[in-house]
């Protein structure tokens, strides 16, 4: 699919978004980020959107801590549709995705998680890995479904846990791997979408 468009949702500093924006800024690539939405008003990811001249928007999340209020999720869907996105990329988005978004983009929401799923779902996965004493950690790109970090795995990168690691050191090592894995997986996903669409068009034509 040439020129596939994706929206990015994030709550934090946005280093994964930076990796994506840098990777996709050359015009010849298969897809590009067209909007950044955040549930955190002063999130670094919104400053980065400005830096890359991509429209960024804060959407007030409502009263809950781990999910969006239904009207906030509807608002996200509205902005994503208005930006004509083909799929959605979560980059450090700290709320569980519910029905409105899942229904609006079925099979079209990706996430990156800082562990080798299915191990260590949930928060601070790198700390969970360190505390469990494993010798290898890593990151996973997966499809988003109604569970927490349960969707189909698209790809993983392994990194070693080294003697003397702190949670911060291990997370930093995992993030280096994330910044290589996520753009590669997003590009493959966009190419896969193009394939499906061409097959459907051919079926309709014949
Ligand atoms: C990353 O470690 C990612 O795996 C997790 O949240 C963190 C986001 O970091 N989902 P950043 O905002 O992209 O730097």
């Amino acid at each position: 699919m040439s020129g596939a468009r994706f929206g990015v949702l994030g709550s934090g500093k946005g280093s994964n978004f930076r990796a994506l924006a840098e990777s996709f800024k050359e015009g010849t690539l298969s897809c590009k980020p067209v909007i950044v939405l955040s549930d955190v008003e002063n999130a670094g990811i919104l400053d980065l959107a400005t830096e890359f001249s991509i429209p960024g928007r804060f959407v007030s999340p409502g009263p809950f801590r781990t999910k969006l209020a239904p009207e906030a999720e509807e608002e996200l869907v509205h902005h994503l549709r208005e930006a004509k996105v083909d799929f959605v990329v979560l980059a450090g988005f700290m709320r569980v995705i519910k029905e409105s978004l899942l229904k609006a983009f079925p099979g079209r929401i990706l996430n990156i998680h800082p562990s080798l799923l299915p191990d260590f779902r949930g928060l601070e996965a790198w700390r969970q890995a360190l505390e469990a004493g494993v010798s290898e950690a890593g990151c996973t790109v997966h499809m988003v479904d109604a569970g927490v970090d349960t969707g189909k795995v698209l790809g993983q990168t392994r990194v070693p846990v080294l003697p003397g690691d702190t949670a911060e050191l291990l997370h930093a090592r995992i993030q280096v791997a994330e910044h290589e894995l996520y753009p590669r997986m997003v590009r493959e996903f966009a190419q896969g979408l193009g394939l499906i669409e061409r097959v459907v068009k051919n079926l309709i034509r014949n």
Side-chain angles (χ1 to χ4, degrees):
M1 174 185 262
S2 66
R5 301 160 67 85
F6 64 92
V8 179
L9 309 189
S11 312
K13 65 183 191 297
S15 69
N16 278 285
F17 165 63
R18 177 187 284 284
L20 290 164
E22 279 173 353
S23 172
F24 292 118
K25 77 178 168 205
E26 317 304 332
T28 54
L29 293 168
S30 56
C31 56
K32 59 178 178 182
V34 292
I35 189 166
V36 176
L37 299 168
S38 182
D39 58 324
V40 176
E41 197 160 12
N42 59 356
I45 196 169
L46 290 177
D47 298 331
L48 281 179
T50 309
E51 189 182 319
F52 283 95
S53 305
I54 295 169
R57 257 198 128 94
F58 162 64
V59 172
S60 179
F64 309 107
R65 212 170 45 83
T66 57
K67 63 176 185 178
L68 295 161
E71 39 308 351
E73 200 169 286
E74 288 293 347
E75 197 184 330
L76 283 185
V77 170
H78 168 78
H79 292 309
L80 291 165
R81 286 205 167 123
E82 205 171 51
K84 296 189 170 49
V85 308
D86 298 298
F87 64 100
V88 179
V89 169
L90 308 187
F93 191 62
M94 297 308 285
R95 289 169 194 269
V96 180
I97 298 299
K98 297 286 182 187
E99 209 174 297
S100 307
L101 260 162
L102 289 171
K103 277 198 169 152
F105 298 97
R108 290 182 179 230
I109 308 179
L110 278 63
N111 184 41
I112 188 155
H113 182 74
S115 82
L116 297 171
L117 289 174
D119 292 343
F120 311 123
R121 297 188 169 115
L123 292 177
E124 298 203 326
W126 60 89
R127 195 182 299 279
Q128 296 182 48
L130 197 63
E131 285 168 4
V134 293
S135 60
E136 262 190 332
C139 50
T140 303
V141 173
H142 64 95
M143 302 306 305
V144 173
D145 62 13
V148 175
D149 306 319
T150 49
K152 179 176 180 263
V153 169
L154 300 181
Q156 295 186 312
T157 303
R158 313 180 89 82
V159 305
V161 179
L162 299 177
D165 261 353
T166 60
E168 292 67 32
L169 282 172
L170 181 56
H171 189 209
R173 193 174 309 119
I174 291 170
Q175 286 227 283
V176 172
E178 289 183 341
H179 301 158
E180 186 278 326
L181 179 69
Y182 216 3
R184 186 156 53 83
M185 290 294 107
V186 166
R187 184 172 292 114
E188 277 180 20
F189 181 78
Q191 282 163 351
L193 280 186
L195 215 66
I196 291 165
E197 269 153 34
R198 275 198 296 279
V199 170
V200 172
K201 268 190 201 150
N202 282 340
L203 281 177
I204 293 169
R205 209 175 294 138
N206 298 327

